[in-house]
Amino acid sequence: MKTTFNVLGVAGSTRKGSFSGQALKITLEYAKKQGAEVRLIEAGLPLYDPNAQASKEVEQAAEAVGWADAIILASPDYHGSMSGALKNFLDHFYEEFAGKLFGYIVASHEKGLTVMDQMRTAVRQCYGWSMPYGVSANGGQDFSGGEINARLSKRLNMMARDLVVYGRLLNSQFVRDLGSTEQDTFAAHYRP
Ligand SMILES: Cc1cc2nc3c(=O)[nH]c(=O)nc-3n(C[C@H](O)[C@H](O)[C@H](O)COP(=O)(O)O)c2cc1C
């Protein structure tokens, strides 16, 4: 049985010094302390085109998504929505998200709740599981001189802990169900 637990962070902002990106990096460090293996990738991929052959970047992203047991999506709040780059990243995948738990980080001047709702909707549509809460980060209030305040740090640490603990449970059951012959399970749809 696999003992490692892999967490992939997807950075949805291409802005230099992005707050969502910084919060994502910190969360991945916390996940590492929980015993997870971690990787970070940028969401910027070629615009999804169903007719196009997968580019090298898309293949690399697909390898990383396949490697992941849980995924953290980090997005800026753009007009109450996730960034176009992140939505485009998600459009490249579908079945790969099943059996994985997703965590959400949003950098916003508000709470970014509509952004999290959209990320949850897209993930649910691909049969991924979502954490019941997300973490919003406000650049002006939570960051100072490359540091984050204690409130944000505590929330990110909690999310990393919960993602690893609950993600392991969900994923290990999904993998067990995949390998069994039981028919009436959600995982049965993903058997080759
Ligand atoms: C095109 C655009 C749209 C934005 N729309 C919103 C918005 O609707 N609500 C909000 O609170 N902030 C909005 N912002 C502010 C960003 O969410 C904020 O600067 C955030 O820190 C960006 O994330 P990042 O630091 O990870 O790049 C917008 C910024 C841009 C550039």
Side-chain angles (χ1 to χ4, degrees):
M1 201 182 97
K2 180 164 140 2
T3 51
T4 50
F5 187 74
N6 301 336
V7 177
L8 176 69
V10 183
S13 173
T14 52
R15 194 178 69 79
K16 216 171 158 210
S18 151
F19 295 119
S20 56
Q22 289 184 57
L24 176 61
K25 280 188 195 141
I26 293 166
T27 311
L28 290 175
E29 284 305 310
Y30 288 148
K32 233 198 260 181
K33 289 193 182 141
Q34 295 291 332
E37 305 279 324
V38 303
R39 282 203 216 168
L40 172 68
I41 58 171
E42 308 272 334
L45 291 180
L47 191 63
Y48 176 64
D49 174 357
N51 301 310
Q53 272 217 310
S55 65
K56 200 163 167 235
E57 299 109 290
V58 172
E59 278 174 3
Q60 283 168 348
E63 189 278 322
V65 167
W67 168 87
D69 299 312
I71 296 177
I72 303 172
L73 302 180
S75 181
D77 182 338
Y78 284 168
H79 307 324
S81 313
M82 73 178 103
S83 67
L86 185 59
K87 178 60 172 64
N88 179 57
F89 178 91
L90 298 177
D91 289 346
H92 284 271
F93 303 101
Y94 171 47
E95 294 199 334
E96 298 86 340
F97 293 161
K100 296 175 185 181
L101 179 61
F102 283 70
Y104 305 104
I105 295 170
V106 177
S108 176
H109 296 158
E110 298 153 62
K111 296 215 160 122
L113 295 178
T114 51
V115 183
M116 283 181 211
D117 283 347
Q118 291 178 3
M119 294 195 284
R120 277 200 187 94
T121 297
V123 165
R124 186 204 63 212
Q125 208 69 15
C126 302
Y127 298 93
W129 277 294
S130 285
M131 293 279 292
Y133 63 87
V135 179
S136 65
N138 183 313
Q141 292 168 14
D142 296 324
F143 293 76
S144 162
E147 300 283 318
I148 58 169
N149 65 26
R151 185 201 68 89
L152 179 59
S153 172
K154 201 168 150 56
R155 299 253 324 149
L156 295 176
N157 196 26
M158 176 173 77
M159 188 170 73
R161 184 268 175 203
D162 285 345
L163 185 93
V164 172
V165 170
Y166 290 94
R168 262 188 204 281
L169 292 169
L170 289 165
N171 193 252
S172 62
Q173 185 60 50
F174 183 78
V175 170
R176 259 198 303 277
D177 284 348
L178 267 185
S180 91
T181 52
E182 195 178 346
Q183 280 309 308
D184 293 336
T185 70
F186 142 68
H189 298 278
Y190 294 89
R191 290 184 197 133

